[in-house]
Amino acid sequence: MSKRRRTTEKLPLFEAEPTTGGVAESASDYASKNRPRIRRWASKGIYFGSSSWKYPGWQGQVYTRRYPSKKAFEQHALAEYSELFPTVCADFALYDFPDPDKMKFIHDQTTDDFTVSLKVTDRITIKRYPNIPRYGAKAGQENPDFLNVELFADAFLEPIEHLKRKRGIIIFEFSTFYPSSGIVDERFVELLDDFLSKLPKGYEYAVEVRNSDFLRSEYLQMLQRHGVAHVLNSWTRMPPIIDQLHMGGVLTAKFSVSRALLKPGRTYEQAVRMFQPYKEIREENPELRMGVAEAARRCIAEGRSLYAYINNRAEGNSPKTIEGILDILDSYPVEKL
């Protein structure tokens, strides 16, 4: 990968600490083992990355440079991240529409072949705002902009044009629809079908649902008609990725997305308490690793690309989870890949 901007700050912010089993792991150990494998799989169309990147706990794995402040780290760490991983999922876009200047800054500081996938701002995907402080006066209210195509095009698509060819997958994440919402599986398919039919062309879209009962043939066939990917997600109330892969027609587009977020049955809050500050694997999840590896194998066999995003809340440390998945892929017989 070619390199663009490299921060020159040398003042120490993070001291080297052990990352696994009390044994210090130098950055060169992780990078030298995994960078060639990450690049090799990227050349086959399998792109590994994480959900966000601003984690000081990854020092000694992903990050080796010294930053003079937390602010400097958050502003410039992506440049270093992009020299190891080919993609990232920008979860921050869920909370507010992308800022054009920030998109341009991300474009300019990352390597030439880097891609940024983004979660669509929830103003487009929420039917009723949750009754929590973040939503202020909107809390508990119906969202008049639910599936608003014009707002999405103007406030989301227009600013991300500053990413240029580094723009990755655009992910519509739909939180759980409860019976009181009036949106059951048939109604969701109907609404989403209409919405997707009106979207601007030339983008790669994916849909992530968090209602397991939505995973029916009607939903998958509708996505396939639009060339939109179903996101294979490991999440609290969804079946494991490996089980989703057993569903007929689950790979609905020329590309696929997997998001290893949480162990089924575990909440986000529980995972945060268990795994912060995300320096090491705290609990291996072999089923999750095998699911992502199998998604990669299937995509290669069927001529599809895969964007595999791993969250710290899956096992405690995204880089090491990715390493474990790479180990599984390396163990596969060549004829299966």
Side-chain angles (χ1 to χ4, degrees):
M1 295 183 180
S2 62
K3 299 180 181 180
R4 283 183 173 267
R5 185 178 303 171
R6 180 188 292 265
T7 184
T8 58
E9 293 89 351
K10 298 298 182 182
L11 297 176
L13 174 62
F14 310 116
E15 296 299 326
E17 294 181 355
T19 57
T20 55
V23 178
E25 176 183 43
S26 71
S28 60
D29 289 339
Y30 184 87
S32 62
K33 177 180 179 181
N34 295 300
R35 181 181 285 114
R37 300 197 295 174
I38 291 167
R39 291 181 177 181
R40 173 160 49 87
W41 288 106
S43 72
K44 299 175 182 287
I46 308 299
Y47 306 103
F48 285 99
S50 65
S51 295
S52 193
W53 64 90
K54 299 175 183 179
Y55 297 107
W58 293 357
Q59 188 194 20
Q61 294 175 327
V62 177
Y63 302 119
T64 63
R65 299 171 195 162
R66 297 293 188 242
Y67 299 89
S69 65
K70 183 175 184 289
K71 180 179 179 180
F73 170 74
E74 292 182 347
Q75 287 181 333
H76 298 288
L78 185 59
E80 190 172 2
Y81 171 101
S82 74
E83 292 168 10
L84 179 58
F85 295 109
T87 188
V88 74
C89 187
D91 289 357
F92 63 80
L94 179 72
Y95 305 106
D96 200 1
F97 289 117
D99 175 71
D101 291 337
K102 186 171 185 176
M103 296 297 101
K104 186 177 186 303
F105 182 75
I106 287 174
H107 174 276
D108 291 346
Q109 73 169 313
T110 51
T111 56
D112 289 341
D113 50 0
F114 192 71
T115 59
V116 182
S117 294
L118 301 101
K119 293 204 298 187
V120 171
T121 311
D122 61 5
R123 188 169 159 190
I124 303 297
T125 57
I126 283 181
K127 181 69 166 60
R128 179 186 289 272
Y129 288 109
N131 196 15
I132 58 177
R134 180 168 81 82
Y135 293 103
K138 296 178 181 178
Q141 303 298 312
E142 286 285 327
N143 175 20
D145 294 316
F146 178 58
L147 300 182
N148 184 325
V149 174
E150 291 76 17
L151 180 64
F152 169 70
D154 292 342
F156 191 93
L157 290 184
E158 187 172 327
I160 69 171
E161 285 302 304
H162 290 278
L163 290 172
K164 302 178 183 179
R165 62 186 180 83
K166 296 184 183 182
R167 185 189 68 231
I169 311 302
I170 298 170
I171 301 171
F172 295 95
E173 176 196 299
F174 292 95
S175 299
T176 304
F177 290 100
Y178 295 99
S180 60
S181 70
I183 297 183
V184 294
D185 52 354
E186 295 92 345
R187 180 58 176 157
F188 178 73
V189 169
E190 178 184 333
L191 289 170
L192 189 59
D193 188 14
D194 181 66
F195 175 71
L196 295 178
S197 70
K198 298 174 181 176
L199 291 183
K201 307 302 181 185
Y203 299 88
E204 291 185 315
Y205 299 115
V207 170
E208 178 176 339
V209 295
R210 296 185 169 182
N211 288 69
S212 59
D213 57 315
F214 287 6
L215 293 179
R216 300 176 58 173
S217 59
E218 293 83 358
Y219 160 74
L220 296 173
Q221 290 168 7
M222 180 270 296
L223 293 184
Q224 186 177 41
R225 288 197 301 272
H226 292 290
V228 172
H230 162 69
V231 175
L232 301 159
N233 61 338
S234 178
W235 186 75
T236 310
R237 291 187 293 275
M238 289 292 286
I241 289 173
I242 194 72
D243 291 350
Q244 293 184 42
L245 284 167
H246 292 156
M247 299 179 59
V250 75
L251 300 181
T252 57
K254 64 181 180 180
F255 62 95
S256 187
V257 181
S258 67
R259 297 221 307 141
L261 304 170
L262 296 167
K263 180 179 180 180
R266 176 173 293 150
T267 67
Y268 176 87
E269 292 77 15
Q270 289 170 337
V272 169
R273 288 195 298 269
M274 288 179 66
F275 298 144
Q276 277 187 334
Y278 312 122
K279 292 183 178 182
E280 60 191 357
I281 297 294
R282 295 287 182 87
E283 178 188 79
E284 287 191 17
N285 186 339
E287 183 178 55
L288 180 144
R289 295 183 181 192
M290 184 59 69
V292 178
E294 181 61 15
R297 187 200 67 78
R298 280 273 303 275
C299 285
I300 289 174
E302 298 179 18
R304 307 174 197 265
S305 57
L306 172 70
Y307 293 81
Y309 296 114
I310 313 301
N311 196 294
N312 278 328
R313 265 71 67 177
E315 295 186 328
N317 178 269
S318 297
K320 276 298 197 181
T321 301
I322 291 172
E323 181 178 87
I325 296 167
L326 293 171
D327 289 343
I328 294 173
L329 288 171
D330 284 351
S331 72
Y332 279 2
V334 173
E335 61 271 15
K336 285 192 175 183
L337 298 172

